[in-house]
Amino acid sequence: MDRLEAMRLYTRIVELGSFTAAADDLNLPRATVTHAIKRLETRLGAQLLQRTTRRVRTTRDGEVYYGHCVRLLADMDEVEADFREAAVQPKGRLRIDLSAALARLLVIPALPAFCARFPQIELDIGTGDRYVDLVREGVDCAVRVGELGDTGMIGRRVALLAQVTTASADYVRRHGRPESLAALHDGHYAVNWASPTTRRAEPLEFMVGRKRREVSLPGKITVSGADAYLGCCKAGLGIAQFSRYRIEQELANGTMCELLAATPPPSLPMTVLYPPQRQMPARLRVFVDWLVELTAHQR
């Protein structure tokens, strides 16, 4: 194993926290991995890793060496990419993660056009709302909707998704259609959305000109899952707010009604998150650019 391969192996061990996981990730025998790290530490004259029964951790020297490796490998990848990607079409496996609704309703229906444009890119799509450790799980990017905290990742906002306030047609027949924000307090109910972590119900939000207004309504049910939130609204249990793409079909066929269109909810940012790196792979860059094109009409 040459020095470059040893550096790549070392960075993968640090990122995955395990010799075995790194060996599996790089399709190498465990014994080869162990021997290579011992030779690397001998050559450097420093202990880089501390091994425990559960996890491998870097020493102080190991942390410094890891930082150098990341920078050097990124520089080398960038130089090679400058020559390679200029001459060939983007290709390779691209692992992405996004919510099930975003995948089913917005991204997947448009994928035939993406695949036709970039036939040498193979997509590996994961769906769900759980936290994804992009580095540890080997995911190239995650697409998220909503305001994000500090993720430690690079984020590129690709769209602002329009939202609508809505209720089922049955709810409107029973409770009437509110014509103003003040009218919401005349016997109306909300399907309350609660944060999965705090379990605290969030108010409905509206844009009055450029000002954001919050309205809290009583609700007979509180949920913390996206599918349950939509299901309760469809069942006539109260007023709710969704990205327009989520309920376009229901609005078109009349099973759900848009309310208070003059004071819509604030738009939600849609962001692509990817690990910090100096050179974005061509396959990831073209996918992000394609998302921008795809969501342009959603703004």
Side-chain angles (χ1 to χ4, degrees):
M1 181 176 294
D2 63 27
R3 293 187 179 185
L4 178 61
E5 291 173 332
M7 289 171 65
R8 291 193 186 280
L9 171 60
Y10 175 72
T11 59
R12 216 55 197 125
I13 292 172
V14 173
E15 289 163 353
L16 296 176
S18 164
F19 277 57
T20 301
D24 292 342
D25 186 65
L26 297 173
N27 196 27
L28 292 171
R30 169 64 191 269
T32 299
V33 171
T34 302
H35 181 64
I37 295 304
K38 286 182 178 177
R39 288 187 60 189
L40 176 62
E41 290 179 324
T42 299
R43 186 170 67 246
L44 296 175
Q47 182 182 356
L48 302 177
L49 299 169
Q50 292 178 333
R51 301 137 175 99
T52 65
T53 55
R54 291 189 175 184
R55 188 168 175 81
V56 175
R57 300 183 182 277
T58 56
T59 63
R60 182 171 298 181
D61 287 337
E63 189 65 29
V64 172
Y65 184 70
Y66 172 75
H68 286 304
C69 287
V70 170
R71 288 190 293 273
L72 289 170
L73 291 172
D75 284 341
M76 181 163 292
D77 289 343
E78 184 174 354
V79 170
E80 292 181 352
D82 285 343
F83 288 92
R84 184 177 62 250
E85 294 175 3
V88 301
Q89 191 175 24
K91 64 180 179 180
R93 190 180 190 87
L94 183 66
R95 293 192 62 193
I96 61 177
D97 185 86
L98 61 165
S99 71
L102 192 64
R104 178 171 54 88
L105 297 173
L106 190 60
V107 175
I108 290 177
L111 281 183
F114 177 86
C115 293
R117 192 189 306 182
F118 305 105
Q120 297 186 62
I121 295 179
E122 179 185 352
L123 294 175
D124 184 338
I125 301 174
T127 59
D129 296 315
R130 69 180 183 87
Y131 169 78
V132 175
D133 187 323
L134 301 185
V135 174
R136 186 173 300 279
E137 299 182 39
V139 177
D140 294 292
C141 73
V143 185
R144 295 290 180 257
V145 175
E147 297 295 342
L148 302 174
D150 183 10
T151 64
M153 298 288 109
I154 294 176
R156 178 180 172 187
R157 180 173 294 185
V158 296
L160 284 172
L161 301 180
Q163 289 198 95
V164 294
T165 304
T166 186
S168 70
D170 176 64
Y171 176 94
V172 172
R173 281 193 295 270
R174 289 185 289 111
H175 296 277
R177 181 187 294 268
E179 300 298 336
S180 66
L181 297 188
L184 287 172
H185 297 289
D186 295 335
H188 285 284
Y189 295 91
V191 178
N192 284 320
W193 169 266
S195 163
T197 53
T198 67
R199 300 300 301 175
R200 193 165 49 239
E202 302 289 341
L204 299 173
E205 294 186 326
F206 302 88
M207 294 303 296
V208 181
R210 295 188 177 183
K211 294 184 178 180
R212 186 185 300 240
R213 286 273 305 276
E214 294 184 350
V215 177
S216 295
L217 294 179
K220 299 180 180 180
I221 189 165
T222 299
V223 299
S224 59
D227 289 340
Y229 188 54
L230 179 56
C232 289
C233 186
K234 285 183 176 181
L237 292 169
I239 295 170
Q241 294 178 325
F242 302 95
S243 296
R244 183 174 290 277
Y245 80 86
R246 291 282 317 266
I247 56 168
E248 278 185 324
Q249 183 176 350
E250 289 83 355
L251 293 175
N253 63 29
T255 56
M256 296 181 73
C257 306
E258 182 173 0
L259 307 177
L260 302 165
T263 53
S267 297
L268 288 176
M270 176 176 168
T271 305
V272 177
L273 298 172
Y274 53 92
Q277 51 195 341
R278 295 189 181 184
Q279 178 72 20
M280 178 187 289
R283 60 186 179 275
L284 177 55
R285 184 177 64 251
V286 297
F287 177 75
V288 173
D289 290 342
W290 175 76
L291 280 180
V292 173
E293 296 176 18
L294 176 64
T295 56
H297 69 283
Q298 296 287 335
R299 303 176 190 186

